[in-house]
Amino acid sequence: MTRTAVVNDYQHPQPGASSTLTLDERVSQEILKNGIKRPKGYTVSYHSNPEVEKMHFGPKHPMKPWRLTLTNKIVLAYGMHEAMDVYVPRAATFLEMTEYHKDDYIQFLSWVTPKIKLDMETSNVIPYNMGDDCPVFDGLYDYCSLYSGASLDAARKLTNIQSDIAINWSGGLHHAKKAEASGFCYINDIVLAILQLLLYHPRVLYIDLDVHHGDGVEQAFWSTDRVMTLSLHKFDKATFFPGTGGSDDTGPKNSANPGAHHSLNVPLHDGIDDESYVQLFKDVVGPCISTYQPTAIVIQCGGDSLGGDRLGCFNINIRAHGACVEYTKKLGLPLLVLGGGGYTPRNVARLWAHETSVCLGTELHPSLPAHTPFIEHFAPDKSLYPELSQTGRYDNKNSGKYLRDIVASIREQLRYVQGSPSVQLQHVPPDLGAVRDEVEREIQEEREARDLGRRRKERGAGSRGEYAH
């Protein structure tokens, strides 16, 4: 029996053939193909701890930390990590998280387990708004401390001038309150990061692109002129979580309060499209910048404002969402870029990978690299930019007149902002305790008037809770 046929059938791979390329070589090809290189004149840092990706809210819960795995795999497949300073941040400490949150709440998060939670349900005592929307799962405290630590690390890289744009896609959990969980959010890493920025920056502008109102951040800085909050979101007080963020919610009603007119809201209806959204963003952010003159910006890039999101109701595509980040980046201020909502993981991953490229000033090839792990999850097109505006499309209920009225309302509120506040940085207390105490009093007064109905919305799994959509 001869072996000649077997030998002849074997074809030695030619040099450079794709079958013999190592992963590093394939990534290097993508870097060359997409022209990825370190930005000139500024530094981008990327803050990611892989331990966050392992957390699991439960099989039926819309929040999937695995979306971070998909995001990071796309970033690595394109080779964007080669153009950034990449950090694996440590977890936030108990003391760091109590810079804003109450001690007893953080202590509760540190020891509660699913079994303890079950015992509490039996006795009909479930504290701190834990429930269907905000479940207790194994590793909850580690999850909270890890994503919060990443946002704090990113903020510190900005204040230390080690970075000009700092990215943490695991952060942006904007619903969490001082002493309770809300809307899938337990620790408000955004507030912690802004407090860090305020130690060095006199004024911070917070921009929220999530489809849900950034109520937790707004409440935290309700009574200070050191932070201006601007949230673009779907608003329906009766049926859409959290039911806040109307155009008349502009801060304390007492004009003598420093926070008056510093909470700006852009309430939208279903179905806004790319062109309207991007133009609206520019029309409201531009005047905020020129009037308030922030020295740093934090932008929350919630992916649930994309078309086709499991909980969303807009018709926005990835490039349009990214155009808002691009506009913000071009302002040239220290920029903290955070994640947030987003409940169709493959599209959230595409979005955040694209917005990473925006921060780097790189235009990516639309076809995902063939070596991208889990690429089958992006079938059938395997594209970075699928057409999302037609996926589960909503009729656009935002008329041109309505959007012009919103812009006029924002400009009217800004008339009351008497220029940028003057701050003597050497007098800023390290923990900003006075600001937080004032905020707490303001929040408590408002809660007494509306808390009962709102708690029902947040806790329930019915039509009004974010979990239910």
Side-chain angles (χ1 to χ4, degrees):
M1 180 176 179
T2 178
R3 293 182 298 172
T4 306
V6 175
V7 174
N8 288 341
D9 285 343
Y10 178 75
Q11 298 291 325
H12 191 283
Q14 297 300 307
S18 60
S19 60
T20 64
L21 287 178
T22 66
L23 179 59
D24 284 346
E25 289 171 330
R26 293 177 183 178
V27 171
S28 295
Q29 284 190 346
E30 286 296 327
I31 291 173
L32 292 173
K33 177 181 176 180
N34 292 279
I36 295 172
K37 55 187 176 182
R38 283 186 170 268
K40 291 183 178 180
Y42 67 95
T43 300
V44 179
S45 59
Y46 194 83
H47 305 259
S48 174
N49 191 316
E51 294 302 311
V52 180
E53 304 167 19
K54 301 175 183 179
M55 302 302 173
H56 194 245
F57 279 58
K60 295 183 179 180
H61 199 286
M63 177 63 92
K64 308 292 184 186
W66 186 63
R67 62 196 181 148
L68 299 168
T69 301
L70 293 178
T71 301
N72 291 331
K73 295 303 184 185
I74 297 176
V75 169
L76 292 170
Y78 276 107
M80 287 187 277
H81 59 290
E82 294 289 346
M84 302 183 285
D85 293 339
V86 179
Y87 297 93
V88 179
R90 64 168 175 81
T93 66
F94 182 94
L95 289 177
E96 285 173 328
M97 289 187 282
T98 55
E99 279 295 300
Y100 173 62
H101 294 282
K102 280 187 172 290
D103 289 16
D104 58 343
Y105 174 52
I106 303 301
Q107 287 171 352
F108 171 80
L109 292 177
S110 70
W111 59 256
V112 71
T113 64
K115 184 180 184 306
I116 293 174
K117 165 71 163 38
L118 187 61
D119 293 340
M120 289 179 174
E121 289 177 343
T122 302
S123 59
N124 202 30
V125 178
I126 308 176
Y128 305 113
N129 201 30
M130 310 299 271
D132 290 335
D133 280 8
C134 301
V136 174
F137 54 87
D138 290 326
L140 174 60
Y141 183 78
D142 291 339
Y143 171 69
C144 295
S145 59
L146 285 167
Y147 77 73
S148 299
S151 290
L152 283 169
D153 186 52
R156 287 176 181 135
K157 292 299 185 291
L158 294 175
T159 58
N160 293 339
I161 319 179
Q162 293 176 261
S163 179
D164 300 289
I165 301 174
I167 302 169
N168 171 30
W169 294 126
S170 69
L173 302 188
H174 59 172
H175 293 308
K177 309 305 190 299
K178 187 179 182 72
E180 68 177 25
S182 178
F184 313 166
C185 306
Y186 302 87
I187 297 296
N188 201 314
D189 64 290
I190 306 171
V191 173
L192 296 177
I194 291 176
L195 289 174
Q196 185 67 33
L197 292 173
L198 288 175
L199 299 179
Y200 298 86
H201 288 278
R203 297 170 302 282
V204 174
L205 174 63
Y206 170 69
I207 304 172
D208 195 310
L209 300 181
D210 202 281
V211 76
H212 301 93
H213 177 227
D215 58 334
V217 182
E218 180 182 273
Q219 285 188 8
F221 300 108
W222 188 254
S223 294
T224 178
D225 58 1
R226 296 283 308 281
V227 178
M228 175 175 282
T229 62
L230 174 65
S231 178
L232 295 82
H233 52 268
K234 161 67 184 285
F235 176 70
D236 188 316
K237 191 171 185 177
T239 64
F240 198 78
F241 182 90
T244 55
S247 57
D248 57 344
D249 293 333
T250 61
K253 300 304 180 185
N254 184 351
S255 60
N257 189 305
H261 309 292
H262 283 75
S263 298
L264 304 179
N265 286 295
V266 179
L268 298 170
H269 304 311
D270 290 351
I272 192 166
D273 57 27
D274 289 354
E275 183 178 358
S276 299
Y277 191 81
V278 174
Q279 189 60 53
L280 176 65
F281 181 86
K282 295 177 180 179
D283 287 345
V284 297
V285 172
C288 289
I289 295 294
S290 59
T291 300
Y292 187 61
Q293 298 177 33
T295 56
I297 298 176
V298 177
I299 186 167
Q300 194 263 26
C301 303
D304 48 8
S305 48
L306 291 175
D309 187 81
R310 180 176 175 183
L311 301 184
C313 54
F314 291 167
N315 299 323
I316 299 172
N317 284 295
I318 287 170
R319 291 185 188 275
H321 201 287
C324 298
V325 177
E326 174 75 17
Y327 180 86
T328 306
K329 170 198 165 188
K330 287 183 177 179
L331 296 171
L333 296 169
L335 179 61
L336 176 57
V337 181
L338 300 173
Y343 308 101
T344 305
R346 62 185 180 274
N347 293 336
V348 177
R350 287 163 159 144
L351 172 70
W352 290 346
H354 168 66
E355 292 181 339
T356 300
S357 76
V358 168
C359 293
L360 293 172
T362 298
E363 181 71 27
L364 298 177
H365 191 278
S367 296
L368 289 170
H371 57 270
T372 304
F374 311 114
I375 194 168
E376 65 275 8
H377 288 277
F378 302 96
D381 57 293
K382 298 180 182 178
S383 169
L384 188 62
Y385 305 111
E387 178 59 50
L388 301 179
S389 62
Q390 302 300 321
T391 305
R393 184 177 177 84
Y394 285 78
D395 292 336
N396 188 353
K397 298 180 180 178
N398 302 274
S399 67
K401 180 181 183 304
Y402 179 73
L403 297 179
R404 289 191 296 273
D405 288 345
I406 287 178
V407 174
S409 175
I410 294 292
R411 291 176 180 270
E412 176 65 19
Q413 292 303 321
L414 289 171
R415 287 201 314 111
Y416 295 96
V417 178
Q418 301 298 320
S420 57
S422 177
V423 178
Q424 296 294 324
L425 288 184
Q426 62 267 31
H427 294 155
V428 177
D431 64 354
L432 300 176
V435 172
R436 294 204 307 273
D437 290 343
E438 177 65 17
V439 170
E440 187 176 359
R441 286 193 293 271
E442 290 280 345
I443 294 172
Q444 186 59 36
E445 290 173 1
E446 293 193 359
R447 279 182 177 172
E448 290 175 356
R450 65 184 184 185
D451 214 25
L452 181 59
R454 179 168 178 180
R455 283 182 184 274
R456 289 201 192 102
K457 269 197 295 187
E458 292 184 359
R459 286 178 173 164
S463 62
R464 295 191 179 184
E466 182 170 353
Y467 175 54
H469 288 275

